[in-house]
Amino acid sequence: ALIAVFIKKIYHTPIILTERGASANLAVKNRVMEKILLWVLKNCDYITANNQNQIDTFRKLGVPANKSLSIPNGIDIEQFKPRDKDLARKKLNIPLDKKIVLFVGWLIERKGCNYLIEAIGKLMSEHKNVVLVIVGGGDKEKELKNQVRSLNLTNNVVFVGPKKPDEIPEYMNAADIFVLPSLSEGRPNVVGEAMASGIPTIATAVNGTPEFIDDGETGFLVSPKNSDALAKALLLYLENGKLYEKIRVSSRESVLKKKPSWENCANNYTNIYISILNKSNGGAH
């Protein structure tokens, strides 16, 4: 974005900035980077984000409401939908008689997977049949595997590595519970995809994540860096079948009500680009 501002000043080309959350959230924690961010925002013709939390942050920094908009990502509700759990587990070679907790994401510090592993360890005295399946790779993978060994959880935590996007729905359907323990996010689509798949979900209440979950109604929100809270939420699902079934149904319904199509997402971006081009070209495009 910084380079784009220089290009704008040279070629008089309008800029539309789309911020996903991670970079801006880091920038505001550093005085020098915050000043650069403010200069970039001031020089953009329009700013979008995939979550309202990010837009609210930008507006507090001085971005006008008529130059900013939240455009949520789409969710393919035909790809992410409830399917036969046993068939999915047989295909993926996942035990039929275990309670499967699923994590999907980069194995980086920001995703907080170490706190989820700690939470699984806290369940072992009462729920030895719980298995955490971790989908993804990253620079923390070795460290997380060492953590699993140190907690004697090698039979309860499985790393399956990165998977292609079209493989993720199968893992969603094989799972009983989905957890995203992130320390920071934009508006993580994986939460919406899990909910659309009818999987009771637990996520940390950071940035745009609460835009998906109504705590206690369509899932559970917990504080970040809190393995005790994660363990407590997991126990609620594991030990309260009525609550589990209620949230399993309501989570998908809540996603469907929002009609999160990729077509709507694309149309919103198209309208913004046309509007900015019209202003830039004096009404012609």
Side-chain angles (χ1 to χ4, degrees):
L2 180 63
I3 294 170
V5 172
F6 288 120
I7 293 173
K8 172 184 178 174
K9 292 185 177 295
I10 296 170
Y11 295 103
H12 306 289
T13 304
I15 299 174
I16 298 171
L17 171 68
T18 297
E19 169 56 43
R20 293 308 201 192
S23 57
N25 292 336
L26 287 172
V28 295
K29 296 178 182 179
N30 180 287
R31 289 180 64 185
V32 174
M33 291 303 296
E34 184 178 28
K35 288 182 179 179
I36 294 173
L37 172 65
L38 291 172
W39 187 73
V40 167
L41 296 177
K42 180 181 177 182
N43 282 280
C44 287
D45 296 87
Y46 208 93
I47 296 165
T48 73
N50 65 356
N51 65 95
Q52 188 59 43
N53 176 272
Q54 195 70 61
I55 293 299
D56 291 343
T57 298
F58 286 155
R59 289 177 181 172
K60 289 175 184 177
L61 293 173
V63 175
N66 65 350
K67 290 179 62 176
S68 58
L69 181 68
S70 168
I71 304 178
N73 288 340
I75 295 173
D76 188 341
I77 58 175
E78 288 304 314
Q79 186 179 25
F80 292 96
K81 63 182 180 181
R83 303 175 194 267
D84 189 285
K85 190 184 300 293
D86 286 351
L87 285 177
R89 291 192 180 188
K90 287 175 182 177
K91 183 176 179 180
L92 299 172
N93 197 28
I94 291 175
L96 300 178
D97 60 343
K98 302 291 185 181
K99 290 294 184 181
I100 303 299
V101 177
L102 178 67
F103 167 87
V104 177
W106 290 105
L107 302 185
I108 56 178
E109 184 174 358
R110 180 171 61 85
K111 291 296 183 178
C113 201
N114 55 310
Y115 297 99
L116 176 54
I117 292 171
E118 282 182 14
I120 295 298
K122 294 175 188 292
L123 300 178
M124 286 302 100
S125 60
E126 300 176 57
H127 294 277
K128 294 191 183 333
N129 67 329
V130 171
V131 173
L132 169 61
V133 175
I134 297 177
V135 177
D139 61 14
K140 290 292 182 181
E141 183 173 349
K142 183 177 179 180
E143 184 177 316
L144 292 171
K145 287 180 176 178
N146 287 337
Q147 179 188 13
V148 168
R149 283 190 288 270
S150 68
L151 293 174
N152 296 317
L153 293 175
T154 51
N155 293 326
N156 300 92
V157 180
V158 179
F159 293 82
V160 298
K163 298 297 174 182
K164 296 177 181 177
D166 60 2
E167 295 177 273
I168 301 303
E170 206 81 63
Y171 280 92
M172 294 287 190
N173 280 280
D176 294 293
I177 303 166
F178 179 83
V179 183
L180 187 70
S182 300
L183 313 186
S184 176
E185 282 290 350
R187 188 177 189 269
N189 236 41
V190 70
V191 170
E193 291 165 349
M195 294 172 70
S197 301
I199 309 173
T201 298
I202 302 166
T204 44
V206 294
N207 308 109
T209 304
E211 293 176 25
F212 281 113
I213 296 175
D214 181 5
D215 187 32
E217 296 296 324
T218 60
F220 288 118
L221 292 169
V222 301
S223 56
K225 299 183 179 181
N226 192 334
S227 59
D228 286 333
L230 288 170
K232 182 178 178 181
L234 284 165
L235 281 172
L236 282 171
Y237 281 144
L238 292 169
E239 298 181 349
N240 190 329
K242 187 176 180 180
L243 175 67
Y244 179 92
E245 185 61 22
K246 171 196 164 187
I247 291 181
R248 186 188 69 77
V249 174
S250 65
S251 59
R252 178 168 169 82
E253 288 179 347
S254 71
V255 173
L256 296 181
K257 285 178 183 177
K258 295 173 184 175
K259 300 180 180 178
S261 77
W262 283 108
E263 184 177 2
N264 289 341
C265 178
N267 286 338
N268 279 323
Y269 280 111
T270 301
N271 291 337
I272 290 171
Y273 272 83
I274 290 172
S275 174
I276 297 301
L277 285 171
N278 280 339
K279 290 178 183 178
S280 177
N281 298 329
H285 68 272

